[in-house]
Amino acid sequence: MISRRRSSRKPAQKGSPKWMVTFADLVTLVLVFFILLFSMSQIDMIKFKSIAQSFNTQGVFETNDSIVPGEYPSPKMNKEEVNKNEQSLDQLAKEVQKYLEENKLEDTAAAIRNERGVVLVLQEQIVFSTGDAVVLQEAYPFLEKTGKLLKAMPNLVKVEGHTDNRPIKNSIYPSNWELSSARATSVIRFFIDDIGLEPERFIAVGHGDTRPLVPNTTEENMQKNRRVQIVISDPTYKE
């Protein structure tokens, strides 16, 4: 009886090899990945074009010098409004100067009318103790007088702190920058808390010793340089 050997060869499988299926999945995932990258880049380009177009559009920065509305307004005033503003600033300067003369403060304070508006220059000794930023009670009457005058007008007010060039370093004020800024802020807080003026009208600036009136060569000159300046701004003036 003749026996037949069974063939050990496995029958050929139909369809693609298994490795090709895995490879195809990998290629598909890579393709999807690059499609996502491309779509994201397109979105960024659209955003970039939109931002660039917004900067090219005029009008946004023509009405306000700041993104905060009303922070540095420069309104277009007609002739009547300009005249009224000039008269208000002139009157304020006269009122303050009269107060200084009546109270014999001309040697330590001054009211200056210039293109910036009205600049009230107060030497350190009538507002603060040396190296301190707490408003002295002796300064209350003058600041109250100034605050009442400011209530009658809408002008912005910039308060600037100045020091001499002698360095200061303690736990409160590491340098003259902090001291001058704190003094400007203290005056503003007095106008807001005690007089009831609107906070948005004020700007505090600390110049340290970078804006001396006279050279810091004598004690008398240093005393003049240690000061606070209250600038009642002329809205027609742009720095």
Side-chain angles (χ1 to χ4, degrees), residues 193-210:
D193 297 341
D194 292 67
I195 309 300
L197 297 178
E198 301 85 353
E200 57 270 16
R201 292 182 58 185
F202 293 93
I203 301 170
V205 180
H207 287 296
D209 62 345
T210 63

Side-chain angles (χ1 to χ4, degrees), residues 57-197:
T57 303
Q58 294 185 353
V60 176
F61 299 106
E62 290 179 351
T63 55
N64 287 295
D65 298 323
S66 168
I67 60 173
V68 180
E71 187 177 357
Y72 297 97
S74 50
K76 294 180 180 179
M77 304 173 69
N78 58 41
K79 188 175 182 180
E80 182 180 352
E81 290 173 330
V82 170
N83 290 335
K84 185 177 180 181
N85 172 70
E86 292 291 324
Q87 292 173 3
S88 297
L89 291 172
D90 291 342
Q91 184 62 31
L92 185 143
K94 291 178 181 178
E95 288 282 343
V96 174
Q97 188 60 42
K98 180 181 178 183
Y99 178 90
L100 296 177
E101 293 172 358
E102 290 175 348
N103 291 273
K104 297 180 173 53
L105 296 172
E106 304 101 307
D107 293 335
T108 53
I112 302 169
R113 178 70 170 95
N114 58 23
E115 69 278 1
R116 298 179 70 190
V118 177
V119 182
L120 309 181
V121 184
L122 311 178
Q123 290 188 17
E124 174 195 63
Q125 63 266 34
I126 66 170
V127 191
F128 302 106
S129 298
T130 301
D132 197 6
V134 178
V135 176
L136 297 173
Q137 289 189 359
E138 290 86 344
Y140 287 6
F142 175 80
L143 294 179
E144 287 171 354
K145 173 68 175 179
T146 304
K148 289 177 181 178
L149 292 173
L150 291 176
K151 266 193 171 183
M153 54 197 312
N155 301 55
L156 286 177
V157 181
K158 179 185 289 186
V159 182
E160 304 170 338
H162 300 266
T163 67
D164 59 30
N165 65 348
R166 289 181 297 187
I168 181 175
K169 186 175 183 180
N170 54 45
S171 58
I172 302 176
Y173 309 114
S175 73
N176 282 321
W177 290 107
E178 286 80 10
L179 176 60
S180 61
S181 300
R183 286 180 168 179
T185 303
S186 293
V187 172
I188 290 176
R189 286 181 61 189
F190 182 90
F191 285 136
I192 295 172
D193 297 341
D194 292 67
I195 309 300
L197 297 178

